[in-house]
Amino acid sequence: CPADPRGSSAEARPSGRQAQGRRRHRWAELAHAADGIRADGDAEAADAPRPGRQKPPGQPGAGSRGSNACCFCWCCCCSCSCLTVRNQEDQRPTIASHELRADLPTWEESPAPTLEEVNAWAQSFDKLMVTPAGRNAFREFLRTEFSEENMLFWMACEELKKEANKNIIEEKARIIYEDYISILSPKEVSLDSRVREVINRNMVEPSQHIFDDAQLQIYTLMHRDSYPRFMNSAVYKDLLQSLSEKSIEA
């Protein structure tokens, strides 16, 4: 039998029922895609700030997927301001410490000693330490022996005893501890373990007398060790000779 000339076209062209099924399937895909787009839009709208309730810059939203640059740098935006405030707060005690450290005496102004005063220094260590001129001369000698920190520590403790403000006492005690008690300090003074242990315990709430035992120990050390050498040093002998010559001329 001759072939139906419409056979090929009938096979290539779907029937009406098949075409209708394909159209329904296509509309279902389009509707599903539209729902997905609408869902994404709702999520982005939820992330967007509402009128009257603006979202803080850099705060991540509930539906954010990391594409927002502000959300990406939230740690930077927020922590930068926090770090700035924290750095400013950290600088406050540093400035206060610098000012208080400047208040601690490193050199005492005093009139030139008289011949009688210099002669009295040879009588006892107490008479040497009771006058500013005697302490300055003794410090000059200690500097030649690289032990000036002993006198500086003793003077700082004397200054601490004059304070009455609790906050200043705590700050000055911390400065003295860091400068002369800490084993990491280049100006550390020589103290026994018992005194160090007492100081470490009392540093939780320091008072103006926290270093009394350490001060007495350093005073005794200077008296027994450095004072005899000072009396035989060129510093003392030159000063005594100069004042004696001036007294004779007068």
Side-chain angles (χ1 to χ4, degrees):
C1 297
D4 190 352
R6 295 178 301 174
S8 59
S9 59
E11 292 176 0
R13 189 169 60 248
S15 62
R17 186 173 299 175
Q18 292 177 345
Q20 185 178 2
R22 290 184 179 182
R23 284 195 297 271
R24 288 178 180 176
H25 181 69
R26 179 59 178 168
W27 280 111
E29 291 179 350
L30 293 176
H32 180 72
D35 290 339
I37 295 173
R38 189 180 300 109
D40 291 342
D42 292 341
E44 294 177 357
D47 287 344
R50 298 178 182 179
R53 295 181 58 189
Q54 294 185 357
K55 187 169 54 177
Q59 182 177 356
S64 175
R65 295 181 293 177
S67 60
N68 193 341
C70 190
C71 297
F72 175 76
C73 65
W74 172 78
C75 59
C76 297
C77 296
C78 183
S79 61
C80 285
S81 59
C82 295
L83 287 175
T84 302
V85 174
R86 190 180 301 115
N87 290 336
Q88 293 175 353
E89 293 177 352
D90 293 341
Q91 290 175 359
R92 291 174 186 172
T94 304
I95 297 174
S97 299
H98 177 72
E99 295 175 353
L100 291 176
R101 183 174 273 108
D103 291 340
L104 295 176
T106 56
W107 188 262
E108 297 178 279
E109 295 183 1
S110 65
T114 63
L115 180 60
E116 291 76 11
E117 288 178 338
V118 175
N119 284 324
W121 297 348
Q123 298 175 11
S124 69
F125 184 63
D126 293 337
K127 291 185 177 181
L128 169 69
M129 292 290 288
V130 79
T131 61
R135 292 192 293 268
N136 286 337
F138 189 50
R139 272 192 57 197
E140 185 179 349
F141 167 74
L142 292 177
R143 190 181 294 112
T144 64
E145 292 197 337
F146 304 100
S147 58
E148 184 185 11
E149 65 275 1
N150 291 331
M151 178 62 76
L152 292 175
F153 171 68
W154 186 89
M155 295 168 61
C157 293
E158 289 294 301
E159 189 70 20
L160 179 64
K161 292 177 183 178
K162 302 176 184 178
E163 295 294 342
N165 185 288
K166 183 179 179 181
N167 295 330
I168 296 180
I169 289 173
E170 292 179 353
E171 188 64 22
K172 282 192 174 182
R174 184 187 64 80
I175 293 173
I176 294 173
Y177 184 92
E178 292 178 354
D179 288 350
Y180 305 107
I181 308 298
S182 174
I183 60 176
L184 301 178
S185 173
K187 297 186 292 184
E188 177 195 3
V189 296
S190 178
L191 299 172
D192 60 37
S193 58
R194 180 191 62 83
V195 173
R196 288 183 179 275
E197 184 179 353
V198 173
I199 293 175
N200 290 335
R201 266 199 320 266
N202 294 335
M203 279 300 294
V204 177
E205 191 173 355
S207 68
Q208 63 265 45
H209 298 287
I210 184 174
F211 302 113
D212 282 1
D213 291 342
Q215 185 186 19
L216 177 59
Q217 194 171 90
I218 295 302
Y219 186 90
T220 304
L221 176 64
M222 292 189 296
H223 182 193
R224 294 178 178 176
D225 186 55
S226 303
Y227 173 65
R229 291 198 299 273
F230 169 70
M231 300 309 302
N232 295 320
S233 66
V235 174
Y236 177 74
K237 291 181 178 180
D238 291 346
L239 179 60
L240 182 61
Q241 182 179 358
S242 174
L243 292 175
S244 298
E245 293 175 353
K246 290 181 180 178
S247 177
I248 295 173
E249 292 175 358

